[in-house]
Each structure stands twice: as C-alpha cells, then as structure tokens.
Amino acid sequence: MKRLIIIFTFFATFANLLSQTGNTACDTWNDTLKADTTALDTAAVIPWPLNVQQRIDELLENRMFETSQVGLLVYDLTADSAIFCRNERQMMRPASTMKILTAVAAIDRLGGSYRLVTSLDYTGTIDNGTLTGDLYCVGGFDPLFNSDDMKAFAESLRSMGVDTIRGRIMADKSMKDADRLGEGWCWDDDNPTLSPLLISRKDSFTAEFIDELVEAGVTLEVTLGEGSTPTDAHKVCSRFHTIDQVLIRMMKESDNLFAEALFYNIAAASGAVPAKASNARSAIRKVIGKTGLDGAAYKIADGSGLSLYNYVSVEMEVRLLRYAYQNSQIYVHLLPSLPVAGEDGTLKTRMKGSFAAGNVRAKTGTLTGISSLAGYCTAANGHTLCFAIINQGLMRAANGKAFQDRLCDALCRP
C-alpha cells in the first residue's frame, strides 16, 4: 500500500509539473488579458490536455534552441485563453508575418469593400477627334494594374472619338512620397519599386501607355511629364482591383509589392498628401491599440517585413489574430487569404501527410536567420486556435520550418 501511495504521489507531482510547463507565463498573460477592457468577459484559463503541452515541451528540447531563440504563443480562441507561452513578449524580427499586421490594419482601416484605383483624366477640349490638352495617369498604388487595364485606357479614349492628342501625358504619382525603397531594406534584396503608378509591377507606365495609344491608332503630338491632376479635370476611365484580390496574392504568395501597396493605401486613407510611411505606421499602431497593447512599443518600418528594422512580439501578432477573429468583417477577408498547409501558397509543400494538412491556415516568414509562422488551426477537440512562432538566430531556415510544422501537427492531432 505504501508503495502504491508513493507511486501515486510521484505521478501526481509529475502531472502537476507538466501542467505548469509553459503555463506559468500563460497564467500571467491571461490575467493581463482579463484585466484588459478590450477582452471578453468570459476570458479564463481553461485546462488543456497535458499531452498537447507535453508535445510542445518536447519539441522545445531540440538542440537548435541552444544556439537560437523562439517566441511562441498558442491561443485558444474558443475558450478565449492562452494555452502555451514561451518568450511571448520578446521583441523579434517577424519577417513576412509582418504582413499579418498590414492585412488586419488594411481591412480594419479601409474596409472589406475597398478598391485600389488607377484613373485616366484629361483637361482641355475635344474637337473633331482631337484632344487639345493634357492627359493625367493617376496612380493609386494598384499592384495588379496590367496590360489589359492599359488597353482599357486606350479604348476609352477611342470610344470618346479621340484619334489625336496634342498636349502632355502626365504621370500623377502624388498619392505617395518620392521614396522608392523602404526603411531598413537591404540594397542586395529583390526589392519592389514603391511607385504608386505601376504597370505589371514596373515603373514604366507612361511609356507603355504611349505604346498602347499608338497601337490603338491614336496620333500623338505630346510631351511627357509628372504632376498632380487639376481639380477641374474630367474622368476618362478608372480601373480598380479589390482589397481581396490584393490580399490573396499578398498572403498566399507573400508578395512584398502587394503588402507595400496596402501599406501606402493605409497611409493615404489618413488624408496625407503625399502619403508617407509614417502615416501608415501611425494608423497601424492605432489598430494595435484596439487589441489592448501599446502600439508605440513596437518598431514598424514597412508593410511587407523586408525591413531589418521591424521589431514585434508573438504576443502582439496573436492579439491581432484574436482581434480579427472576434471581428467578422475582418476575419471573413483575412482567413481566405492565408496559405493552407499542404495545399497552396507558401505552405503548399509543408505539413503534407500530417494532421495539420488542410487544417492550418497561416502566414509564413523567412529572412536570413529568421523563420516565422502565424495563423489559425482547429484542434482535435474542435476548438479554434491561433498561434504565432518566431524562430530567430537560425543558421538554417529549414530547421525553423521543421519545428513549426511539427508544432502545428502537435496542435491538430488527437
């Protein structure tokens, strides 16, 4: 009998230690969350199966963590409680999970029906097929504007009866400032061009517009220039793409140009002319403030995560994912844009054959020394979880991805 009591006491103590592993910080985090006026009244620490916590603890015993760091927070959205925390408030470079901030802020500030618009306006007169005046190509930083859109510009002029243009063709790039690179971008990266007037990702709009006009049979007696569109200009044509179209490419393929396009559209929505990165940062910090955190505590350099100056925490990323989940008008646009494990986007080849395949929807991130993952999944008990993982100080990004994949499987399998 004494032996049985000793054995029972041993296992009870062991189970208690397991329940505390990774959760002391979570208890503190949940206490903070409950004290936060933005938190739900039902916020509470909900017991989570010990085998899941034990799986995560075992993964964290990997030797890679002798020479690298990890920030990790797993949150049960159904129970509204954190279930595993590790270095959740450490400031780290997020890489492309920075796009989570940009996406949530864009939907929150701009709305789910927002459109990115490029316009063609004119001043002057049209007489006997001749436009005597100026054409203005007005950029709204639409990264999806392509040759079909350009053809529509030319066809709109022709439908107005214009066969000759005498004047100027002006590029209106006044929507944003003249900076063509983001703060903290490396010179040897494949950096996108931060111009609000692009065609097929290139800063060659007016040259290609002229080619299209000539192809359409329009005679040109023009000079080229740059300038703002006068307030009395007349509309010829507008082409647009929706925020959902931009989000899909931005998140699924981790397209940096698309992220920066939304970043500057957030900036422009503030009313600043020209829009600057600082305007977008201020707006994003306000959205962070809605989660109960101090937006000024984080370093936001760009919208894509390319910058080496970005510093955030997994706590902040999870708070934003939670905020999106609790706001259906955000979540309905964010969730479909995220890559699906084993199926599409940057997760197409990852987690295949695991319980996470087809389940995890998350944004990836990779920079030299950094690998990150943040998103949603459904646990075996039917609860919806969100999580954020940042591995920092990695010599091989593959090691971070393997850890993240195994952790996601641990969350999803019974």
Side-chain angles (χ1 to χ4, degrees):
M1 178 64 72
K2 185 178 296 184
R3 182 176 298 176
L4 288 174
I5 293 172
I6 291 172
I7 292 173
F8 176 79
T9 302
F10 170 79
F11 279 108
T13 302
F14 181 68
N16 184 57
L17 286 172
L18 280 179
S19 68
Q20 293 176 5
T21 305
N23 277 336
T24 301
C26 284
D27 292 344
T28 302
W29 199 84
N30 282 316
D31 288 342
T32 302
L33 192 64
K34 285 186 288 184
D36 176 11
T37 57
T38 67
L40 296 180
D41 293 337
T42 56
V45 180
I46 305 298
W48 192 258
L50 290 178
N51 62 332
V52 175
Q53 295 172 350
Q54 185 176 2
R55 289 170 194 165
I56 299 175
D57 279 327
E58 289 172 353
L59 290 172
L60 289 169
E61 291 174 2
N62 192 293
R63 289 186 62 186
M64 66 183 282
F65 297 114
E66 294 176 7
T67 57
S68 66
Q69 306 81 47
V70 63
L72 168 62
L73 180 54
V74 182
Y75 195 84
D76 186 331
L77 291 162
T78 304
D80 203 28
S81 178
I83 61 176
F84 201 98
C85 307
R86 180 67 61 89
N87 299 327
E88 72 276 8
R89 289 179 177 161
Q90 292 292 309
M91 293 296 183
M92 297 182 173
R93 292 170 178 162
S96 278
T97 57
M98 192 74 181
K99 294 181 176 72
I100 291 283
L101 280 72
T102 305
V104 173
I107 303 167
D108 184 83
R109 304 288 289 187
L110 304 175
S113 60
Y114 186 77
R115 298 172 172 182
L116 290 78
V117 181
T118 308
S119 299
L120 179 65
D121 296 0
Y122 80 92
T123 57
T125 60
I126 299 175
D127 187 29
N128 292 325
T130 298
L131 168 59
T132 304
D134 300 329
L135 280 174
Y136 289 85
C137 304
V138 188
F141 214 144
D142 177 4
L144 283 165
F145 191 98
N146 58 26
S147 57
D148 290 336
D149 298 303
M150 188 69 86
K151 189 177 295 292
F153 271 18
E155 289 175 350
S156 293
L157 275 171
R158 292 293 283 144
S159 67
M160 295 170 62
V162 174
D163 57 27
T164 303
I165 300 173
R166 293 185 180 136
R168 297 180 300 172
I169 294 180
M170 304 290 287
D172 185 345
K173 301 180 180 181
S174 60
M175 177 251 197
K176 71 172 291 295
D177 60 20
D179 291 344
R180 292 296 178 260
L181 292 173
E183 180 184 354
W185 288 7
C186 292
W187 65 269
D188 55 350
D189 273 345
D190 183 19
N191 297 314
T193 300
L194 300 183
S195 170
L197 189 59
L198 299 172
I199 174 169
S200 301
R201 308 179 68 94
K202 297 180 293 184
D203 190 13
S204 56
F205 197 99
T206 50
E208 296 198 32
F209 183 40
I210 286 174
D211 290 343
E212 192 62 50
L213 289 172
V214 171
E215 181 72 20
V218 178
T219 300
L220 300 177
E221 301 173 15
V222 298
T223 58
L224 305 182
E226 288 192 17
S228 298
T229 306
T231 57
D232 61 347
H234 307 286
K235 189 72 63 186
V236 175
C237 179
S238 290
R239 300 289 287 184
F240 69 85
H241 292 92
T242 67
I243 193 172
D244 284 327
Q245 290 174 296
V246 175
L247 284 170
I248 289 291
R249 175 72 175 267
M250 164 182 156
M251 303 296 270
K252 295 280 190 187
E253 305 302 327
S254 199
D255 195 300
N256 295 320
L257 174 64
F258 284 52
E260 297 303 330
L262 279 188
F263 187 72
Y264 280 98
N265 271 272
I266 294 170
S270 69
V273 181
K276 300 179 180 179
S278 58
N279 304 127
R281 292 168 192 145
S282 295
I284 292 173
R285 289 190 182 104
K286 289 178 182 177
V287 176
I288 294 172
K290 293 182 179 182
T291 73
L293 297 175
D294 179 8
Y298 307 94
K299 175 64 176 178
I300 300 168
D302 64 11
S304 61
L306 271 175
S307 177
L308 299 180
Y309 297 167
N310 291 311
Y311 275 96
V312 305
S313 67
V314 292
E315 174 189 36
M316 188 260 274
E317 291 190 332
V318 163
R319 288 259 194 161
L320 281 169
L321 290 167
R322 176 178 177 264
Y323 174 71
Y325 178 80
Q326 293 176 343
N327 290 267
S328 60
Q329 295 305 308
I330 298 176
Y331 193 63
V332 72
H333 298 280
L334 177 66
L335 189 66
S337 74
L338 293 168
V340 181
E343 294 186 7
D344 65 19
T346 54
L347 286 180
K348 185 174 184 178
T349 61
R350 292 176 58 176
M351 306 183 211
K352 284 183 174 290
S354 74
F355 286 95
N359 183 336
V360 168
R361 292 174 176 265
K363 182 70 200 75
T364 58
T366 306
L367 282 176
T368 301
I370 300 164
S371 180
S372 55
L373 188 70
Y376 302 95
C377 66
T378 302
N381 63 358
H383 285 207
T384 301
L385 312 180
C386 69
F387 61 88
I389 312 163
I390 299 178
N391 291 107
Q392 186 167 273
L394 297 171
M395 294 298 291
R396 297 182 65 244
N399 291 338
K401 292 177 181 178
F403 166 75
Q404 294 155 15
D405 293 355
R406 286 192 286 266
L407 191 145
C408 287
D409 179 66
L411 294 177
C412 297
R413 63 187 166 98

